[in-house]
Every structure is written in structure tokens, then in C-alpha cells.
Amino acid sequence: MMKFVSLYTRVLGMLGPEARLGWILAIANILLAVAAFAEPILFGRIIDNLITSQANKVMPSVETLGPLLAAWVGFGLFTIASGVLVALHADRLAHKRRLGIITGYFEHVLQLPLAYHGGTHSGRLMKVMLQGADALWGTWLSFFREQCVALVSLFVLLPIAMVLNWRLGLLLVILVIIFAALTSYVINRTISEQQKVEGFHSDLASRAADALGNIALIQSYTRAEAEISGMRNVVERLLEKQLPVLSWWALVAVATRAATTITVLSIFLVGVWLYTHDLTTIGEIVTFVNVAALFIGKLEQTASFANRLVTDAPRLQEFFEVLDSAPSVRDKPNAIEMPRPRGAVDFEHVSLSYDGKRAAVDDISLHADAGETIALVGATGAGKSTALAIMHRAFDPQKGMVKIDGVDIRDYKLTSLRKNIGVVFQEALLFDRSIEENLKVGKPDATDEEIDTALRRAQAKEFIARLPEGLKSNVGERGRALSGGERQRLAIARALLKNPPILVLDEATSALDAGTEVLVQQALEEVMKDRTTFVIAHRLATIRNADRILVFHEGKIVESGTFDELVAKNGRFAQLAKAQFMVQEDQMPQIPISG
């Protein structure tokens, strides 16, 4: 229960810059609660006045009734006008903060490390963002529109009721105690079950996003029925957990409504007994009957709000869990802007492990002169991509450091570091936007001439010219409107447009046909001049002219040299070259066998 309360204390804390308006609305709700209970009290006084006049067989005087009627009308008009203003500003507060929360969440998620995104489905992150923001919005809107008045009314009413008639007021106190105990019991019974329900909602979002992102696979393997069946299975399990929760809250709703009849009847019966013993008046009985009806209405609103809080609690917990995930890579407090570097790169005893057990890179040391081309080869998982990811700070090493022009890269601001490093990934990563927008990712102010030059060097002009809208053509989700080779050429053009002093090519030509690969390779060789370039390649033909080749194995550099030097060593690289028919058996040096 305490965790539940602390969760919603944090929800109110998320008001941020709108907290001042929140306090104003809360105070306005207190005034509304007082005004709401003034009406039945005035009504009871008017009834007593009329009964007294009737008993004395005289007409009620304007002097007596006038102020009561005027006050009743005044409180009524105040309640209506204030209610409209509170609702209006509550709407504005909730909607404004919802958009602010979404923006903040989005900014935070984009700064989380690649390792986090690798272990968290994008569909789940999207679902957490939308449902979490909606839960916050709904809570604020409901609280400041209605529930704050309802909660305040309960606390305002009881003292007033006890002052008016402590005997009748005691009935309302007993009702509050019973209601609070029942609601607390139901919350404790259902909150853990609702957490499981929300887990199934996350499964639904992840499964749906996974299927929609792999339509081609589903259709080619005729898996539509299997995917639908899997979805139905998740839905059935979700309902299995959700229905008991709904049953408990249905019980609260029924109990609250039954309390209306019981409380009103009790007040009436006790009131009649008190009246016969000259301990109350008819006006007080009428007042308490109206107060009880109003009171029960507030209890129903509170029960409905509590139900919503329990339903939204798991969504908010998921939302806050993501917000509490700290980016592992961040700027140092005294980080500086990185000037355009010459491009000399040093790895000094760099080590990194993702799981704390097996090293992804293990004590890597290397030096690249400015303008040098360094190739990294080795089996999948040998540590090549991880090493270069450390260089542009997708991860920070647990040991060692990386320097550019003799300065630890962690001394630079992250954005300025990455502006000076261009990366072409093995998978062409494109937004569902126009070709022009995708090209300008690295250089938003690129001129038409610069774009034209980058496209020409990447051998991309020809296929763009064939598109109906040219550069304005949309590439589709993940670039699916284009072929693999076309996507890769756009990715290369994007990196060329950025014109970084340090370039990383992670299997950059892997998706190209042989003819296009030759053309792009020639363009890359021209662009690689006078800039430090790191090339990850499995096809050794693409790195034949690299200044140096580093052979990775199990996170370590096990061989280093030029292509010919490594072949001559007849080691691991030579075996790779032989497997790709780049050298013949008779070209490899014979190692004498002793004994």
C-alpha cells in the first residue's frame, strides 16, 4: 500500500512547471467542496424556517428567508462558474503536461545505451510511452476536475456534519471507516494481479510490433494463422488475470451503491427518533439526508478513482522504470567541444564486457595515424563492431581509454565527438521519410550541390533519378521501398555528406551486387583519402589495399599487418583468405614440420 501511495506522490511530482497551477486548482477545489455543502445546509435552514412559520400560522418574512435564498443562489452560481473554470484549467494542465512528458520520455529513451535497446523491444517502449503518458494525463485530469473535490469533500463534510448534529454525523463517520477499509482491502488484493495483467499488455504490444515489422517473413512462411493463434493465446491469458480484478471492483461498486440506501434510511430513522426526543429538527433531518446523498456520490467517485489508480499503477511503474534507467554514456561535468580533429586514434588497453562474464573486447591496444585506413576482420562476435562502437561512445569501456589526437574522448561532449565520426552500418538504417531528409540526418544544412556530389560518389544518382518524386520520394518503413543495394548506397551518401574526419564502414558494401560494389568501392577509396577510416569486412577483397589489417579473435587482436604480410604469416588471416579463394595453396608459404 505504501508503494502505491509513493507511486502517486511521484505522479503529482511530475507536474513540473505546472505545479503552481496544480496548487491553485487544489485550493479552488477546497473552496468548491465547502460551497457544495453549503447548499444542503441552507436548504435545511429554509425548511426549518417554513415549518416554524407554518406552526405559528404566519407568512415567512422576507427578512428571514431572503438572505437564506440569496446565499443559496449565490453558492449555486459560484459552484457552477468555479466548476467550469477548474475543469477548463485542469484540461489545459493535463494536456500540456502530457505532451511535455512524452517529449521528455522520448528524449530520455534516445539517450539510453544501445545495450538497453538491444534487450528491450521497441514496441514495448512505444507502448510504455503512450500508456504511461495517458495514465498520467488521465490521473491529473480526473484528480483536478472531480476527484480532488470529492476527496476534500469527505474531509470537509465530516467536521461540518459533527458540528450540526454529532449523532447523525457519527453515522457518516462509520460509513467512511467501512468504505476506507473495503477499498484498502480491494487495492491490496488487486494491485499485484493488475501488474500481471499489464505484463500481458506488454506482450501484446511486443508481439504485434514484431509481427507487423516482419510481414514479409510471415507471408513467405505462411505463419499468419500461427501468429494469430499466438495473439489469441496472450489475449486469453490476459482475460484470465483481468476478470478477477474486475470482479473485486464490481463488488466495491455494488457495496457503495448499497450504502446509499442503507445510509439514507439509517439517517432518516435515527433522525425521526431524535426528532421525537427533541434532539433535532426536521430541517436538520432534510439537511443530513441531502448531505448523505452527496456524501455517497463522492464516495462513488472516489471508488471509481481508486479503481483507475489500481489499473494505471503497473503502467506508471513501467513508465518510471524506463525513466529511471540511467544512460551509461553521458557527458562529464566539464566536457568540452571537440574541434575538427586531424584523426589520429589510439586504443590503450581497452576492455569491455556486456554481461560481466565474457569480454566483448579484451585489452585492445592500437594506433591509427591521421588519414590511415585500418581494416578489422574476424569471425562474427570477435569484437570488431564493439571496438569501433566504443570509439564513437555507443559504450564506454570498463578499462582503458580511447584517444583522438591524444585526448581522451570522454573529455569531449558526446554530440561534438559524434559529429566528427561518420558511421555506415552493416544494415542501412533509414527513417520512414523522404530521401532528402534521410541524407540530411548528418548535415541538416547541406546544400543541393553537396547532396548531388555525395549521391554521385555513392553511385546513387541513377536510381534516384528513376523515382517519380526524386529526392522527395519516401523510402518507407526501414527503407523498404528501396532495394538492399539502394538503401546501402543512400547510407554511404549520408556519411559522405557529413564529411567526417573519421569514418567507420561496418560491412558498408555487404548489400551491393558485384558490379555496384566495384563502383562504390572506388568512390569510397577516393573519399577515404586524407581521413582516418576503419573498415569492418568479411569479404577480404574489399580491404586488399588497407594500410593495416587487424585480425580479431575472442575480443583480442591476434594478428596485425598488411594483406601480404598476413598471408605470409600463414596464420588465422591466411586461412580466411584461402577460404575466400584469394590465395592458392601454392602461394602460401610452407612451414617445415620438425621431427
Side-chain angles (χ1 to χ4, degrees), residues 53 74 81 114 118 148 216 251 340 372 459 461 464 471 507 569-570 586:
S53 298
L114 291 177
C148 185
L251 174 63
R340 185 174 177 87
E372 195 174 17
Q459 309 296 321
K461 283 198 68 175
I464 292 175
L471 287 172
E507 286 289 317
K569 286 182 181 179
N570 197 23
D586 56 5

Side-chain angles (χ1 to χ4, degrees), residues 53 75 207 281 284:
S53 298
F75 275 112
R207 180 176 284 271
T281 65
E284 283 187 353

Side-chain angles (χ1 to χ4, degrees), residues 251-296:
L251 174 63
V252 172
V254 170
T256 306
R257 287 169 188 162
T260 304
T261 304
I262 295 171
T263 304
V264 171
L265 181 61
S266 299
I267 286 176
F268 188 75
L269 292 175
V270 172
V272 169
W273 184 85
L274 292 172
Y275 179 75
T276 59
H277 289 75
D278 202 25
L279 296 174
T280 189
T281 65
I282 294 176
E284 283 187 353
I285 296 173
V286 171
T287 295
F288 266 89
V289 168
N290 285 321
V291 165
L294 191 59
F295 187 77
I296 297 300

Side-chain angles (χ1 to χ4, degrees), residues 450-482:
E450 289 172 328
I451 291 174
D452 187 76
T453 301
L455 291 173
R456 176 168 47 78
R457 288 183 172 181
Q459 309 296 321
K461 283 198 68 175
E462 183 181 345
F463 83 79
I464 292 175
R466 294 196 301 266
L467 298 173
E469 297 182 69
L471 287 172
K472 302 298 181 183
S473 300
N474 195 288
V475 302
E477 185 180 3
R478 298 182 184 178
R480 286 178 182 164
L482 306 176

Side-chain angles (χ1 to χ4, degrees), residues 263-424:
T263 304
V264 171
L265 181 61
S266 299
I267 286 176
F268 188 75
L269 292 175
V270 172
V272 169
W273 184 85
L274 292 172
Y275 179 75
T276 59
H277 289 75
D278 202 25
L279 296 174
T280 189
T281 65
I282 294 176
E284 283 187 353
I285 296 173
V286 171
T287 295
F288 266 89
V289 168
N290 285 321
V291 165
L294 191 59
F295 187 77
I296 297 300
K298 301 302 181 185
L299 282 181
E300 287 184 341
Q301 286 183 351
T302 304
S304 175
F305 188 53
N307 185 4
R308 181 185 184 116
L309 296 184
V310 170
T311 302
D312 286 343
R315 297 171 185 173
L316 291 169
Q317 284 175 340
E318 275 192 313
F319 185 84
F320 290 137
E321 283 170 9
V322 176
L323 284 185
D324 292 339
S325 300
S328 59
V329 177
R330 61 180 67 192
D331 286 336
K332 293 168 64 173
N334 57 344
I336 60 174
E337 290 290 334
M338 184 182 195
R340 185 174 177 87
R342 292 186 305 105
V345 178
D346 288 283
F347 281 66
E348 298 181 356
H349 304 288
V350 172
S351 296
L352 172 69
S353 173
Y354 295 124
D355 57 9
K357 300 176 182 177
R358 187 179 70 86
V361 292
D362 187 6
D363 197 31
I364 295 292
S365 293
L366 66 92
H367 171 76
D369 287 325
E372 195 174 17
T373 297
I374 307 294
L376 286 68
V377 301
T380 300
K384 310 180 299 297
S385 295
T386 300
L388 296 187
I390 290 172
M391 185 177 68
H392 59 84
R393 292 196 70 194
F395 313 99
D396 277 338
Q398 278 115 16
K399 295 181 182 177
M401 69 176 68
V402 178
K403 294 181 177 179
I404 293 179
D405 292 347
V407 180
D408 188 338
I409 59 174
R410 288 171 291 194
D411 292 338
Y412 292 123
K413 290 183 179 179
L414 192 58
T415 53
S416 66
L417 168 70
R418 290 176 177 171
K419 282 179 181 178
N420 286 290
I421 300 175
V423 184
V424 179

Side-chain angles (χ1 to χ4, degrees), residues 47-106:
I47 293 295
D48 276 341
N49 191 277
L50 292 174
I51 290 173
T52 301
S53 298
Q54 185 181 36
N56 295 331
K57 296 182 180 181
V58 295
M59 292 296 293
S61 65
V62 176
E63 291 79 8
T64 305
L65 278 183
L68 293 175
L69 291 171
W72 192 6
V73 171
F75 275 112
L77 292 175
F78 172 80
T79 301
I80 294 170
S82 299
V84 170
L85 289 174
V86 166
L88 178 62
H89 284 89
D91 279 18
R92 290 178 177 175
L93 178 148
H95 282 83
K96 189 174 181 180
R97 283 307 297 148
R98 177 181 179 273
L99 296 177
I101 289 294
I102 288 176
T103 303
Y105 175 96
F106 185 70

Side-chain angles (χ1 to χ4, degrees), residues 183-194 244-245 248-249 310:
T183 303
S184 178
Y185 177 75
V186 171
I187 287 175
N188 287 325
R189 285 296 301 265
T190 58
I191 193 166
S192 60
E193 292 303 310
Q194 188 63 37
V245 175
W248 277 107
W249 284 104
V310 170

Side-chain angles (χ1 to χ4, degrees), residues 21 31 36 68 87 126 142 168 173 234 311 348 436 450 468 553:
L21 177 57
L31 296 176
L68 293 175
M126 182 65 74
S142 180
L168 294 176
V173 172
V234 175
T311 302
E348 298 181 356
E436 184 177 15
E450 289 172 328
H553 179 64

